[in-house]
Amino acid sequence: MVWVNAVLQGLMLGGLYALFACGLSLMFGVMRTVNLAHGDLSVVAAYGSLALVDSLGWSPFATLIIVIPGMAIVGFLLQRLVLDRALRISTLAPLLATFGLSIALQNLLLQIDSPDARILPIGAFGIGSWRISSQLAIGWFPLLTLGVAIVVLLGIELFLQRARLGHAMRATRDDPATAQLMGIDARKIYAVAAMLALATVGIAGVFLGMRTTFTPTSGSDYLIFAFEAVVIGGIGSVRGTLAGGLVLGVAQTVGAQINAADPILIGHLVFLAVLVVRPRGLFRASALA
Amino acid sequence: MSSLEVDSIDVHYGDFQALWSVSVNVAAGGTLAIIGANGAGKSTLLGAIAGSRPLTSGSIRFDGQDVGGLPAHARVALGITLVPEGRRLFPSLTVEENLTIGAFSRRTGPWSLGRVYELLPIVANLRQRRANQLSGGEQQAVAIGRALMNNPRLLLLDELSLGLAPVIVQSLYAVLPDVTAEGTTVLLVEQDVGQAIAAADRVQCLLEGRVTLEGDATELDRDAIRAAYFGI
């Protein structure tokens, strides 16, 4: 029962990782841009939510109505003002640009707020759970997180598979020059993809902030989990990222059962094992899907 | 029906000049073949018309409208559609998804999925296949279908025969009359002179970025073509 519980908790933790990794996966999948400011942008979303909670007295959940479109706008500006320009210099320039952005955002948050740890208050919902047996309990909030992750990632997957714009995104990812010859404006596609990616970053940031405390620099702590989820699942595959996040979450919680001192180490070892055994990830088609 | 007037264009790759004051005219509904050896600038010319290669000087008019400064995707919306050299299908998309991408600009006209499948039955049998699992001939057929999905007014065909068996090349060229019957103007580039002359009503020869010969497909004689093609 202890193990069943560990796996269940791991799946729910993995949902958070998958939700968090979604935007990274999408931006890499469509634009081939590695966004090193990904974690910091999610922290920005969490602080944005906190500001709304403090000033308007809203529930953190309600702030999503503003945080999601706000982050989509941030995504549009990021793509148009930073990444499109960097891409014209070289393929590696966006990496440097987002690295710089990461540092700038951390220091900006330190200036505006403080290094103190913050949390988005959700009251009793945050600690409530269904107790199934003495060793098995399912928390309401982790379960909600997993549900949101599944809806968001599978929703994006469905969009890529079925929607006209989703097809155009996959075509642009395959071959941007030829996509232009089909009437697709790659710049527009990139902007839409960045908006979608940052919208999910907004959701992930708020859920991270409700689950645990955050500081201006905690974005980079989570970034490694996002990378691991993306790589385990297979780069460029959104449903792979969902699977990758779940695998990573389960590895960490089961790892905690084995060696309570270092659950994260076991997560990293599973990640390395996947790299050795299936270097292209679990969904090795490597197609954006 | 739409006419194309390319007026003395120059195109450079960095310091290298690929086209030298090249002029091309295709009457509405006509079919012009550009022939020439490797590196003569044929693909560059099509790229310049489609918008993937910027002009250094000169102008391109389509139906009287200056399109030389428009980005490639805006020219597609006007009905200028290129079947690129080497097919360039989207490898991770299925055949049918590749075809629907061809219709991204939502131009209306005679061509639809159903009519493309009718014209190219080989493509109909592959619709759920991934594009990276096709033979060269199958890929070329899909590439033609994808271009038709845009309901082109001007169809640019770059080296349909590249790397394909002669019998397959013939079957691909056999669909051209059905395309021109819809009033589509065709500009094709071909290394295979015999194939080009058979498919087109006018022929132009490029050599090292310059036009060396121009005439009706039925009137050109072999010696003149040989001289223009090789420059000897």
Side-chain angles (χ1 to χ4, degrees):
Chain A
M1 214 50 159
V2 176
W3 298 101
V4 175
N5 186 49
V7 170
L8 273 179
Q9 305 304 328
L11 286 174
M12 292 185 287
L13 176 64
L16 185 69
Y17 289 158
L19 187 59
F20 181 61
C22 179
L24 191 76
S25 176
L26 196 58
M27 284 188 78
F28 189 79
V30 178
M31 279 87 90
R32 303 262 156 223
T33 299
V34 175
N35 180 9
L36 290 179
H38 177 82
D40 305 290
L41 286 162
S42 74
V43 172
V44 167
Y47 274 101
S49 171
L50 185 66
L52 292 169
V53 169
D54 285 348
S55 60
L56 302 176
W58 289 9
S59 142
F61 288 108
T63 65
L64 284 170
I65 299 170
I66 293 178
V67 170
I68 292 173
M71 290 303 285
I73 292 168
V74 169
F76 178 83
L77 295 174
L78 174 70
Q79 186 63 34
R80 277 289 156 92
L81 300 181
V82 180
L83 299 178
D84 277 348
R85 288 165 192 234
L87 208 55
R88 264 179 261 146
I89 301 169
S90 84
T91 46
L92 279 179
L95 189 71
L96 281 178
T98 57
F99 180 65
L101 183 66
S102 160
I103 293 170
L105 287 177
Q106 289 181 14
N107 286 286
L108 191 70
L109 289 174
L110 276 173
Q111 284 295 321
I112 297 172
D113 201 70
S114 72
D116 296 342
R118 306 278 182 189
I119 192 160
L120 293 170
I122 47 172
F125 185 73
I127 46 172
S129 66
W130 284 292
R131 184 149 289 278
I132 292 164
S133 76
S134 64
Q135 284 166 326
L136 194 62
I138 296 177
W140 295 340
F141 178 72
L143 188 65
L144 176 71
T145 311
L146 177 61
V148 169
I150 291 172
V151 168
V152 167
L153 279 97
L154 293 187
I156 289 177
E157 158 106 19
L158 209 61
F159 166 76
L160 291 168
Q161 293 297 339
R162 297 266 180 272
R164 171 173 177 271
L165 212 54
H167 283 170
M169 244 174 230
R170 288 160 60 209
T172 308
R173 164 214 127 102
D174 274 3
D175 185 344
T178 305
Q180 304 254 26
L181 291 172
M182 299 298 123
I184 297 167
D185 184 353
R187 238 168 67 92
K188 211 178 268 175
I189 292 294
Y190 285 173
V192 173
M195 289 172 74
L196 197 57
L198 270 277
T200 70
V201 169
I203 303 172
V206 172
F207 272 82
L208 270 175
M210 292 190 284
R211 182 177 186 275
T212 181
T213 58
F214 55 93
T215 69
T217 54
S218 45
S220 38
D221 301 341
Y222 284 104
L223 187 60
I224 182 133
F225 298 143
F227 271 115
E228 288 183 345
V230 170
V231 173
I232 291 172
I235 283 170
S237 164
V238 172
R239 80 185 137 182
T241 300
L242 179 58
L246 297 180
V247 167
L248 185 65
V250 170
Q252 288 187 2
T253 52
V254 170
Q257 282 300 320
I258 298 167
N259 174 9
D262 239 334
I264 290 172
L265 175 69
I266 295 183
H268 292 331
L269 289 177
V270 167
F271 161 71
L272 288 175
V274 170
L275 264 190
V276 170
V277 180
R278 288 187 82 128
R280 288 172 65 194
L282 300 176
F283 286 69
R284 55 172 28 177
S286 94
L288 184 68
Chain B
M1 297 210 187
S2 320
S3 63
L4 175 73
E5 302 154 62
V6 175
D7 187 22
S8 46
I9 59 168
D10 290 347
V11 173
H12 289 76
Y13 291 86
D15 288 336
F16 173 75
Q17 186 161 0
L19 294 181
W20 301 74
S21 190
V22 170
S23 294
V24 173
N25 285 294
V26 196
T31 302
L32 172 73
I34 307 277
I35 57 172
N38 253 340
K42 309 184 298 292
S43 294
T44 305
L45 174 62
L46 289 197
I49 297 168
S52 55
R53 277 278 136 215
L55 306 180
T56 324
S57 66
S59 73
I60 298 175
R61 301 180 76 77
F62 178 58
D63 261 354
Q65 184 188 351
D66 188 353
V67 298
L70 294 179
H73 61 87
R75 296 189 210 191
V76 176
L78 293 174
I80 301 177
T81 314
L82 173 67
V83 178
E85 188 177 4
R87 283 72 85 166
R88 305 280 294 269
L89 297 181
F90 300 109
S92 73
L93 273 59
T94 65
V95 164
E96 189 152 300
E97 286 170 343
N98 266 280
L99 294 175
T100 46
I101 284 289
F104 187 79
S105 291
R106 289 184 168 140
R107 291 174 45 78
T108 51
W111 298 103
S112 59
L113 266 184
R115 270 217 64 194
V116 166
Y117 287 146
E118 209 175 289
L119 180 72
L120 301 158
I122 170 183
V123 175
N125 296 327
L126 299 168
R127 54 180 87 178
Q128 294 311 325
R129 203 85 80 73
R130 281 223 183 169
N132 60 3
Q133 298 168 334
L134 306 181
S135 72
E138 290 166 347
Q139 284 182 29
Q140 192 60 276
V142 175
I144 293 171
R146 182 178 65 173
L148 292 177
M149 289 295 287
N150 187 45
N151 284 301
R153 291 193 291 155
L154 171 63
L155 184 63
L156 309 167
L157 300 168
D158 198 350
E159 263 329 328
L160 288 191
S161 65
L162 192 76
L164 301 180
V167 57
I168 293 171
V169 175
Q170 274 179 5
S171 71
L172 290 172
Y173 272 102
V175 307
L176 264 195
D178 286 320
V179 175
T180 50
E182 300 290 353
T184 305
T185 307
V186 176
L187 176 53
L188 63 96
V189 148
E190 192 52 76
Q191 264 184 319
D192 180 339
V193 175
Q195 192 60 261
I197 289 175
D201 41 51
R202 279 188 71 77
V203 177
Q204 228 168 308
C205 186
L206 279 183
L207 176 67
E208 291 173 356
R210 294 175 172 87
V211 178
T212 49
L213 181 77
E214 192 176 353
D216 282 347
T218 47
E219 290 168 6
L220 291 172
D221 76 50
R222 287 270 159 188
D223 289 335
I225 292 174
R226 192 176 306 123
Y229 197 99
F230 295 109
I232 47 174

